[in-house]
Amino acid sequence: MASTMENISTINSFLRTILATVVLSAASVAGWFGYSTYYKNEISAKKSAEELAAANKELEISKKDLEAKTVEIAQKTVLLQEQQAQISKLSKDLERLETSLALMKVDHRLARLAVTDQGLDPQGQPFSLVEFVELNDEGAPIDTPREFRVRGDLVYIDNFLVKFEDKYVEQADLERGTSLILFHRIFGDKQQPAEGFPLDEKDQRPKAYARAGKMSDLEKKIWGDFWNIANNDQLAHEMGIRAAHGGAVSMKVQKGKSYRVIMRSTGDLSIVPEDKSPMER
């Protein structure tokens, strides 16, 4: 009996031990599960916070990069606009320059000199019989041809020349867009210039520049006070004149040939042979 009770007591003690172990294990498992769940959430929240901070930092970097690129694009846009404006200006300047150069190269036909006869006079000196007529830009005579017998075969055409400032030539100004010339006299190399034959009258409008209506005030001033203007820089500048002086072109002429006197807008005067002879014309 005593032995049975002892066995029962042992079994109970064993059962209590097992039960205690189970309870302890369950508590441990529950504790571990609770601990894991708590810290898992905490770790997850911490990780999320770190990821958010990293994302914000990356976003801030991207924002700064975007701002920098925006500034760079704006600067390049301004530079491009400035370049386009400069190109446009250069294009206009080039167009103006090309137009100016074209205008400066325009030949104004002023007169024709035809040699109708040549020979020796009774004293054995050479002479040339020439016909002089002023022309318009189309090459048509604007006056009755005049005939002169000059001594020699090297013929000079003396003139008064007025050159305006380049800006007026470039702008094709109505009054100052081309140089002005007044034919003074014609003579040969075997006679003194003072012995030459007069052509245009100084106090009258040159025939090559005759326009409809009366002579302008500018023309009156120029031809009526030519040498005073030529000697007065300030007065010439006020009138837009860069140079006023006398000059002459010459040509060793040949019988049966004709020559034309031409001038560029800049005032360069030339005398060149024509292709056709006076008889062919």
Side-chain angles (χ1 to χ4, degrees), residues 140-161:
I142 58 177
D143 193 21
T144 302
R146 288 171 285 174
E147 191 173 67
F148 305 100
R149 183 186 178 97
V150 299
R151 297 200 298 272
D153 56 5
L154 181 59
V155 178
Y156 288 84
I157 299 176
D158 195 8
N159 60 81
F160 297 146
L161 185 62

Side-chain angles (χ1 to χ4, degrees), residues 101-215:
L101 291 175
L103 288 171
M104 289 179 177
K105 291 179 180 179
V106 171
D107 288 335
H108 298 274
R109 287 173 281 191
L110 302 181
R112 178 183 292 121
L113 184 70
V115 185
T116 57
D117 194 15
Q118 277 186 319
L120 297 177
D121 62 17
Q123 289 75 35
Q125 294 296 321
F127 74 89
S128 297
L129 190 63
V130 298
E131 185 182 84
F132 181 87
V133 61
E134 296 190 45
L135 309 173
N136 60 22
D137 279 343
E138 286 70 41
I142 58 177
D143 193 21
T144 302
R146 288 171 285 174
E147 191 173 67
F148 305 100
R149 183 186 178 97
V150 299
R151 297 200 298 272
D153 56 5
L154 181 59
V155 178
Y156 288 84
I157 299 176
D158 195 8
N159 60 81
F160 297 146
L161 185 62
V162 176
K163 301 178 182 179
F164 293 103
E165 294 177 4
D166 291 342
K167 63 180 181 180
Y168 295 111
V169 179
E170 294 169 1
Q171 296 166 3
D173 185 89
L174 289 177
E175 286 193 314
R176 301 174 176 87
T178 184
S179 298
L180 301 179
I181 187 171
L182 184 147
F183 290 120
H184 183 205
R185 59 194 168 193
I186 184 171
F187 57 93
D189 61 318
K190 300 303 181 181
Q191 62 189 125
Q192 295 298 318
E195 299 173 346
F197 301 96
L199 294 173
D200 286 334
E201 297 295 333
K202 194 172 68 170
D203 57 348
Q204 295 180 4
R205 179 191 310 212
K207 297 179 181 66
Y209 295 94
R211 301 189 185 100
K214 297 180 179 180
M215 184 186 298

